[in-house]
Structures are given as C-alpha cells and as structure tokens.
Amino acid sequence: MNNKELASSNISFGFLHKSKDFLNVIINNVSCSILLLNKDMELRAFNDPIKTMFINKPDEDLLYVRCGEAIGCAFTVDEMKRCGETSKCNNCELRVKALESYIERKPIYREKFSREFYKLDGNKDLKHLQFSVLPFYYLNDYYIIVLVEDITELVSLRNRISQN
C-alpha cells in the first residue's frame, strides 16, 4: 500500500476511533471554524473557533440556529430576519454553495467571500472568508460540514502590497 492509498483509506488515523477526547482536542484546536449543518442549514455542532471568529453574544446557544444567524451575518441583524429570509440570502455565496453541496452531494473547495458581521460590541466588522463544504451521511441523516477560515489579514496585506 502506498502513502496515497494509506491516507485515502484513513488507516493513518485509525487509532482515533478509540479516543473521542483526542479527536475533540484536535477539532477544537484547528484554526478554522467547523460548522455541522443539517438540511435546514441549522447548526447541529461546531468547534470552539466559531466563538472567537464570529460570536456576537456571550454564551450564546447556537444549536439549531441557522448558519447566518450563528455567525452574526449583518444582513440577518439589520433586516431582523432569519438566515435564508433576508433580501441578500439568495446571493449569499456561503448559503448558495452550502445548499448546492447538499443538493448535488458534492464537495465545494476554497470559495471566498466578504461580508460584514456584527461583533460583541455591536459594531460591524468586514471579514474576508474562505470556506469549503463537505457533504456526508451519518446514521441515516445527511449533513454538510462547512470549514470557514478568516483570511481578512491576508487580503488586507495583499491590498497594501498592491497599493505600493
């Protein structure tokens, strides 16, 4: 078996099936937010980085909250509507690609978008994000995992370099 086959068959991480604690430590220490969404685009699970990357209320209960509401999308707050019901939702890159992945049962990789999000202090913050969407079945239900990286600093640095 070559290295590619070993990695694709997931044998290299086979020891983790006995250690849920170790897997949780890994998931909560990666730099990106991991969002597990159901068919209604509601948050079913998430890792700790979502709280530092997006949270807009302390100790907020995010389970079964729609994605845009969970991450503090300015459109849901400004229009006082649920994610999926604002005037901007039909053009939201994250929502469109997540639904596309769910319906077509295909992964989406490294898409980018920029959006304002509300912060804890009530002010808006422009963030540049990169995301990937991965659909999968588990215990007879179909889900998608959305991996979100904040690339705001990288975009800002590139903009400064290009202006010089």
Side-chain angles (χ1 to χ4, degrees):
M1 182 177 291
N2 66 35
N3 286 341
K4 187 174 183 178
E5 289 172 344
L6 181 65
S8 67
S9 65
N10 207 19
I11 293 171
S12 62
F13 283 100
F15 69 94
L16 291 178
H17 78 278
K18 296 178 183 174
S19 177
K20 292 177 185 173
D21 291 336
F22 185 70
L23 188 56
N24 282 329
V25 168
I26 290 173
I27 288 172
N28 284 317
N29 283 286
V30 294
S31 61
C32 66
S33 289
I34 301 172
L35 315 175
L36 176 65
L37 302 174
N38 65 13
K39 65 179 174 50
D40 298 318
M41 297 298 116
E42 295 171 333
L43 205 56
R44 294 289 294 126
F46 54 90
N47 65 343
D48 288 347
I50 191 177
K51 295 176 183 179
T52 56
M53 193 181 297
F54 295 112
I55 204 77
N56 59 356
K57 296 176 191 156
D59 300 321
E60 187 172 25
D61 184 13
L62 299 175
L63 290 181
Y64 294 102
V65 173
R66 290 185 184 173
C67 183
E69 297 160 56
I71 63 176
C73 173
F75 299 133
T76 63
V77 176
D78 291 344
E79 294 185 23
M80 294 185 286
K81 292 184 178 178
R82 295 191 71 197
C83 175
E85 298 172 3
T86 77
S87 63
K88 306 292 184 186
C89 289
N90 287 338
N91 297 316
C92 172
E93 298 90 339
L94 180 59
R95 182 173 179 75
V96 168
K97 291 297 182 181
L99 288 169
E100 178 182 320
S101 177
Y102 187 89
I103 292 167
E104 296 180 11
R105 296 189 157 104
K106 69 173 190 173
I108 308 278
Y109 297 105
R110 295 187 174 163
E111 293 287 326
K112 295 175 178 67
F113 77 107
S114 299
R115 170 89 30 84
E116 287 185 327
F117 295 89
Y118 274 95
K119 300 185 300 183
L120 199 56
D121 63 9
N123 292 315
K124 291 181 193 177
D125 193 17
L126 178 64
K127 291 184 182 277
H128 302 281
L129 304 173
Q130 177 174 280
F131 67 93
S132 296
V133 185
L134 308 163
F136 69 98
Y137 277 104
Y138 183 71
L139 298 177
N140 298 323
D141 283 320
Y142 196 66
Y143 299 95
I144 56 173
I145 287 183
V146 181
L147 306 171
V148 183
E149 298 174 87
D150 187 343
I151 58 170
T152 303
E153 287 184 39
L154 178 62
V155 170
S156 296
L157 182 59
R158 284 183 180 162
N159 289 341
R160 280 185 286 197
I161 291 171
S162 69
Q163 290 173 355
N164 291 333

